[in-house]
């Protein structure tokens, strides 16, 4: 019997994109179901009753929630192709640590940046925190091709999906990520050469426009 | 000694306690290093430069930080007495509950530092909501989150069985009661009786005094 794989997602979500990249890496066929987050579907509420959030992977009727948990699940179930986590427990632990760091630090510092009002103290503080996080990540990357070393993996997936929000962070945060973290941008470019990544990321311009509209809605602009 | 296993911890921390429980459950011998958090050691700063926090596990000199990451490392390195299900979907479910517990920390933190009044009522209400979810959807009708025996989810939520009782005493609100949360209440009793847990809990009086002073400091800092 063929697997039935459904992804409940939102086009702009960097968390949802992680799952898209993982599924693409493994060559898994799935049905993508775009969710309206202002008017949540009965399916979403049924499949993620606790958090009511995307992404949710539904595999043969059973839901898996939380993007990094989903990516690990995908790696374990479709284990015969493109391993996303190393088999060595120590390397796995390092990968989990850094993916968790991205989760803990990047979304919130990024949010403060794109919602910061104009130029001033608030924006400067948000900028400082955001750049600090990126620099720590760039430091961890070092001179390797990917965070996993020679091969694209779990940490790369956890982080690269934020890259389509970078132009928005730069515009509203008044910074240049290329200038601050050139090695990281080189890594982004390298990742985007992979079809699994380029086909999964949202269009940067559309994200910028979307966040611009959100700023107006939130009364920031 | 298993290729030099060290745990850098802090005696009142439930985060370092979970690591100890996991190692003990697996029968892994280790050296424990008590950290003075007011004067962090070179070892801690070097082993966890990103967060500078305990717990840190050192295995053959190689450091692993973040308790949830450490627990998975312990599970993979010492597979005896498994603490995670073998099946992928059940593992994902276990990880979900571990993450849920971690994310809800601030909810209980708010209760811990609340003072009587509207703020505390809201904090208690929010905490009760989380506990209800844990009971109804996490635990269900199982004895433990791991089923018939404890697993990483029980260890990750283990602070509810001992530390939360101190919080309840300090804020003078009892939330986990046999009338309101019968299954979670039973879980607390059962968890505390598991030998590895029972023999590895910080002294209640000492913990209460420590948490009382933390609470007072937090309140005065507000």
């Amino acid at each position: 019997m063929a697997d039935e794989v459904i992804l409940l997602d939102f086009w702009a979500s960097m968390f949802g994109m992680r799952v898209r990249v993982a599924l693409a890496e493994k060559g898994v066929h799935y049905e993508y179901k775009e969710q309206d987050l202002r008017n949540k579907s009965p399916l979403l509420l049924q499949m993620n009753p606790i958090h009511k959030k995307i992404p949710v992977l539904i595999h043969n009727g059973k839901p898996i929630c939380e993007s990094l948990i989903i990516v690990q699940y995908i790696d374990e179930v479709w284990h015969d192709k493109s391993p996303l986590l190393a088999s060595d427990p120590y390397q796995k632990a390092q990968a989990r640590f850094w993916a968790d760091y991205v989760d803990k630090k990047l979304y919130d510092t990024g949010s403060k940046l794109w919602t910061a009002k104009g130029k001033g103290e608030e924006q400067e503080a948000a900028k400082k925190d955001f750049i600090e996080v990126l620099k720590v990540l760039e430091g961890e990357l070092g001179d390797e091709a990917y965070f996993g070393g020679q091969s694209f993996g779990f940490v790369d997936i956890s982080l690269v999906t934020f890259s389509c929000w970078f132009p928005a962070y730069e515009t509203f945060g008044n910074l240049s990520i290329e200038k601050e973290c050139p090695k990281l941008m080189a890594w982004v470019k390298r990742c985007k050469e992979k079809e699994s990544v380029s086909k999964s990321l949202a269009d940067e311009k559309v994200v910028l426009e979307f966040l611009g509209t959100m700023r107006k809605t939130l009364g920031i602009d | 000694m298993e290729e030099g296993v060290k745990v850098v911890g802090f005696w009142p921390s439930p985060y370092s306690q979970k690591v100890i429980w996991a190692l003990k459950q697996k029968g892994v011998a280790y050296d424990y290093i008590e950290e003075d958090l007011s004067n962090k050691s070179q070892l801690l700063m070097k082993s966890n430069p990103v967060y500078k926090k305990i717990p840190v596990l050192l295995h053959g000199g190689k450091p692993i930080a973040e308790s949830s990451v450490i627990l998975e490392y312990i599970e993979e390195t010492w597979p005896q007495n498994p603490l995670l299900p073998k099946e992928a979907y059940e593992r994902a479910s276990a990880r979900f509950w571990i993450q849920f517990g971690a994310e809800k920390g601030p909810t209980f933190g708010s209760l811990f530092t609340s003072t009587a009044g509207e703020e505390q009522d809201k904090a208690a209400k929010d905490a009760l909501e989380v506990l209800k979810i844990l009971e109804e959807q996490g635990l269900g009708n199982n004895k433990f989150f791991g089923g018939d025996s404890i697993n990483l989810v029980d260890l990750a939520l283990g602070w509810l069985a001992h530390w939360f009782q101190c919080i309840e005493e300090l804020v003078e609100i009892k939330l986990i009661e046999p009338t309101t949360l019968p299954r979670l209440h039973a879980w607390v009793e059962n968890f505390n009786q598991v030998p590895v847990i029972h023999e590895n809990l910080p002294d209640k009086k000492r913990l209460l005094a420590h948490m009382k002073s933390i609470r007072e400091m937090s309140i005065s800092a507000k």
Side-chain angles (χ1 to χ4, degrees):
Chain A
M1 196 182 89
D3 275 321
E4 186 202 51
V5 183
I6 299 169
L7 174 62
L8 306 184
D9 198 352
F10 176 63
W11 70 273
S13 166
M14 58 283 266
F15 303 103
M17 286 172 223
R18 289 168 168 176
V19 180
R20 292 176 230 166
V21 173
L23 289 167
E25 279 287 299
K26 302 286 187 174
V28 176
H29 293 290
Y30 67 98
E31 186 188 346
Y32 178 95
K33 288 195 178 188
E34 181 69 21
Q35 299 299 299
D36 179 355
L37 298 181
R38 291 157 304 174
N39 186 19
K40 292 177 180 180
S41 69
L43 181 62
L44 176 59
L45 298 177
Q46 183 200 349
M47 291 293 158
N48 192 357
I50 292 169
H51 299 301
K52 305 173 175 62
K53 284 179 170 180
I54 58 89
V56 181
L57 189 78
I58 310 172
H59 185 202
N60 295 329
K62 298 203 289 192
I64 303 107
C65 307
E66 299 297 319
S67 62
L68 293 181
I69 294 175
I70 299 171
V71 172
Q72 285 183 83
Y73 175 83
I74 291 168
D75 198 38
E76 285 170 19
V77 170
W78 290 278
H79 52 78
D80 47 353
K81 186 184 171 190
S82 304
L84 304 175
L85 276 164
S87 49
D88 170 64
Y90 186 74
Q91 283 181 44
K92 245 192 199 160
Q94 294 311 302
R96 286 187 174 124
F97 175 88
W98 285 106
D100 176 70
Y101 179 84
V102 174
D103 261 8
K104 276 186 166 72
K105 299 285 194 178
L106 200 54
Y107 186 75
D108 285 346
T109 52
S111 291
K112 288 201 175 101
L113 198 58
W114 76 262
T115 58
K117 256 188 159 76
K119 294 186 204 312
E121 231 175 83
E122 192 192 334
Q123 192 188 64
E124 281 309 304
K127 208 166 130 176
K128 181 172 170 280
D129 289 343
F130 182 75
I131 291 169
E132 205 177 292
V133 171
L134 289 187
K135 283 199 184 273
V136 169
L137 288 164
E138 193 182 52
E140 178 55 25
L141 177 66
D143 292 316
E144 299 279 13
Y146 301 106
F147 281 88
Q150 285 311 302
S151 30
F152 179 80
F154 193 63
V155 182
D156 304 284
I157 294 177
S158 73
L159 179 59
V160 76
T161 58
F162 280 79
S163 68
C164 58
W165 282 52
F166 281 2
Y169 291 142
E170 287 176 318
T171 303
F172 302 123
N174 189 33
L175 75 149
S176 159
I177 298 174
E178 173 71 54
K179 197 163 139 226
E180 301 286 349
C181 301
K183 273 189 174 163
L184 201 65
M185 286 313 289
W187 163 82
V188 168
K189 204 167 153 206
R190 193 176 305 126
C191 291
K192 279 157 89 169
E193 284 164 14
K194 294 175 73 62
E195 207 180 314
S196 62
V197 175
S198 59
K199 288 217 156 130
S200 302
L201 296 186
D203 184 315
E204 293 176 357
K205 295 186 196 71
V206 186
V207 172
L208 179 61
E209 209 179 288
F210 168 68
L211 292 179
T213 308
M214 287 284 278
R215 279 175 64 95
K216 292 197 177 81
T217 310
L218 293 166
I220 303 167
D221 278 338
Chain B
M1 201 63 54
E2 301 267 357
E3 288 174 36
V5 179
K6 293 184 163 70
V7 175
V8 182
F10 182 48
W11 71 267
S13 164
Y15 299 96
S16 56
Q17 210 60 31
K18 315 179 206 172
V19 173
I20 288 167
W21 290 334
L23 290 169
K24 292 252 185 214
Q25 189 73 353
K26 304 241 180 204
V28 177
Y30 62 93
D31 269 334
Y32 177 76
I33 300 166
E34 182 68 36
E35 185 66 32
D36 175 3
L37 294 182
S38 62
N39 184 19
K40 291 179 180 179
S41 67
Q42 275 303 305
L43 177 64
L44 179 61
M45 302 300 256
K46 207 174 112 191
S47 326
N48 190 0
V50 175
Y51 299 115
K52 306 173 177 56
K53 284 180 169 181
I54 58 92
V56 177
L57 183 84
L58 290 139
H59 188 196
K62 299 200 286 193
I64 301 123
E66 285 304 290
S67 61
S68 55
V69 175
I70 297 171
L71 290 183
E72 292 242 23
Y73 176 81
I74 291 170
E75 175 63 10
E76 281 157 14
T77 307
W78 296 282
Q80 66 270 28
N81 288 352
L83 294 171
L84 269 184
K86 289 265 174 290
E87 199 269 320
Y89 185 77
E90 287 174 40
R91 286 164 83 87
S93 183
R95 287 178 177 138
F96 175 90
W97 288 108
I98 293 169
Q99 191 169 314
F100 179 82
E103 273 168 19
K104 296 302 177 183
T107 306
F108 295 100
S110 297
L111 179 63
F112 177 54
T113 58
S114 67
T115 46
E118 220 177 277
E119 181 206 353
Q120 193 171 78
D121 292 342
K122 179 169 191 302
K125 185 168 167 278
D126 291 343
L128 184 62
E129 222 169 274
V130 172
L131 294 171
K132 279 206 165 106
I133 292 172
L134 281 172
E135 181 181 77
E136 286 160 23
Q137 300 186 56
L139 189 60
N141 290 319
N142 291 325
K143 186 177 181 192
F144 296 110
F145 288 90
D148 293 327
S149 55
I150 60 169
N151 76 356
L152 287 192
V153 183
D154 298 275
L155 299 190
L157 296 171
W159 73 273
L160 281 173
H162 191 71
W163 287 255
F164 189 63
Q165 287 163 358
C166 294
I167 294 181
E168 285 176 320
E169 208 175 304
L170 290 167
V171 303
E172 294 174 324
I173 299 174
K174 216 152 178 358
L175 290 179
I176 303 181
E177 287 197 285
T179 44
T180 48
L181 293 161
R183 289 170 287 175
L184 200 64
H185 186 264
W187 171 80
V188 167
E189 307 266 296
N190 289 324
F191 183 77
N192 277 328
Q193 279 168 35
V194 172
V196 142
I197 308 300
H198 186 72
E199 290 153 21
N200 293 284
L201 287 170
D203 177 77
K204 200 68 170 290
K205 270 209 183 98
R206 194 181 171 208
L207 182 64
L208 193 64
H210 172 83
M211 286 176 73
K212 185 163 187 264
S213 75
I214 303 258
R215 180 164 183 262
E216 280 162 10
M217 272 198 290
S218 305
I219 290 170
S220 63
K222 274 197 203 174

